[in-house]
Amino acid sequence: MTVLASLTSHYGRLECRRDVPPFGFTSERIAFSLMLAADGEPVSCDDLRLSADGRNRGGGQSIMVPRSFTRSGIKPRPFFLWDNSHFVLGLGSPPEGTEPSAHPARADAFRDWHERLLDGTEDPGLLAFLRFLRSWTPSRFRQPPFLPALLDRTLVFRLIDDVDASGRPRFLHDRPAARAAWEPHAIESDRPKAVCLVTGQVAPVARLHPRIKNVWGAPTTGTSLVSFHQPAFRSHGKVQGDNAPVSEAAAFQYGAALNALLAPGSRSKLRIGDITMVFWADAAVRGEAAARRIEALVGSLLAPTGPPDPAINEEGRPVFRRSWEPLDKPTAAQAAALGIEPSVRVSILGLMPNGPRLSVRFWQEVTAGALIERLTTHWHDLRIEPPAWKIPPSPAALLYAMARQGRSGSVPQQLAGDLVRAILTGDRYPLTLLTAVLQRLRAGEPVDGPRAALCKAILQRDARRYRRGNANPYTDPAMEVPVSLDRTEFDQAYRLGRLFAILENVQRAALGRLNASVRDRYYGAASATPASVFPLLLRTTPHHLKVLHRDRTTRGLAVWFEREIDEIMRDLDMNLPRQLQPVAQGRFVVGYYHQRHARKPNSEGIDTLGQPEE
């Protein structure tokens, strides 16, 4: 199923929950409500920017109104029964001085448009609205109930004492007569008809697609997911939406569904690096409750580590928590323990701004069981000893390993999308991920657990795929990457990493903390060009060991260091490689991390080597 088809299908579920507007309507921020008497006289003006507790909500209250559309040109069309003050009152904020700017052409267009649509109406509310338009003059703006704050703001209308069936105040556009008048105009009837690429039905084609809002980094006014705004995007002389016909109904539905998923406070939205990710489950087969549980599960599995999961059960506890414990269980057992249906399909969409449009960074449709299996495989690949995280990390947490000095904004672009795509599909991790980690290490960042775990995961997955015959045999080794210190591992790069760590520990135990240690001065060269660095380090190490031998308290430690060096070098080819490729440098990192955290057994004396210093 395509992105648009899946979103259009999801619209039906949201419409049943009344989370999206019906076709022909849209949710907009409205700042003021103008109350009219039956004779069209304005009675009062309600400030919808103020919440119930008196706080200012900025742009106003989100209200479902007849749909807006993209306006351009010198004669833009007005909206139905709502608009900004330029159209409703013909006035705007004063550019200079205190007098409001006049927009008589727009006020005339607003009045004429409603005279034509509401011609012959007998509804009291709509008649009051027409009387207000006919009697309105800009000079009345100085009189109550009008306020200067109305200028440039959006307005809706109410008839005094008008309420709906449940007794709540009702706006004019919610009256049945207004909806009946708007229904024939909800679509642009003059648009040519064609086969819709989403629904397969013949219907009027949308010229412009809806604007999608709340994508991180995109304009606040929204931007289009589908557009043909450049001549290079067109074909056969067609313009705008005619190049890829999507019916107006389908365009409205996918736009409403995606905007609902991206709305502030949505639990189906995550930000990972420069990617805004949304996800939704299919409720057609297993029902609404099963879909919601899976959406809560996906949110908890992929959300960054931080505050507790917002989804709370009846006992006041989070619904799902990430943990290492269930990873050793089969997928079916994990799904049963979580109480979810593994056959329910989940759609995951990653978006990022790309100029005036949105680009799809990844799109994945997968069952809940397959998603759990792929995430389990991903976290298995990340396992390393000593552990780098207390709980399985989120994709966003992994990106910090590539951040310069911990600044999240310095993560290279494109990496977030490539990483999440690899996690969701179970495919190879991008090698650019390994390159980014190695660059951070050569720049002097510490070889900590997350960076070593990422290198191990990239190499481990490549090795597994190589054994399956799915990878390039010229670039991917077939050897497993150990989770913890493996003294039987014969890989030269892994052993060189271990040797570098032990030489660094010898220097630190002998000389204490230095301004520039072995790691500070030689790590980059040792991991990339071992033949040029290790001979120098091996010549200076006996002097450090001699210092340890002089002191009775460190003599046992010196002996242990010597045994470790002998054990590493016993199976090390002394024709050291002149250069290590990035894959081998990744194994160097893993070996270094394992050996640096190795401890002298207590049976050989007191452990005088403290925890590694970063």
Side-chain angles (χ1 to χ4, degrees), residues 67 69-72 75-79 83 87 109 113 188:
R67 75 180 180 97
F69 38 81
T70 304
R71 297 193 283 202
S72 60
K75 294 182 178 180
R77 293 180 299 163
F79 301 143
D83 215 316
F87 287 89
W113 163 249
E188 297 181 37

Side-chain angles (χ1 to χ4, degrees), residues 490-498 580 584-585 587-589 591:
F490 293 108
D491 180 73
Q492 296 294 294
Y494 182 81
R495 286 197 166 253
L496 285 172
R498 290 185 58 199
L580 291 180
Q585 292 183 39
R587 289 181 177 271
F588 184 97
V589 173

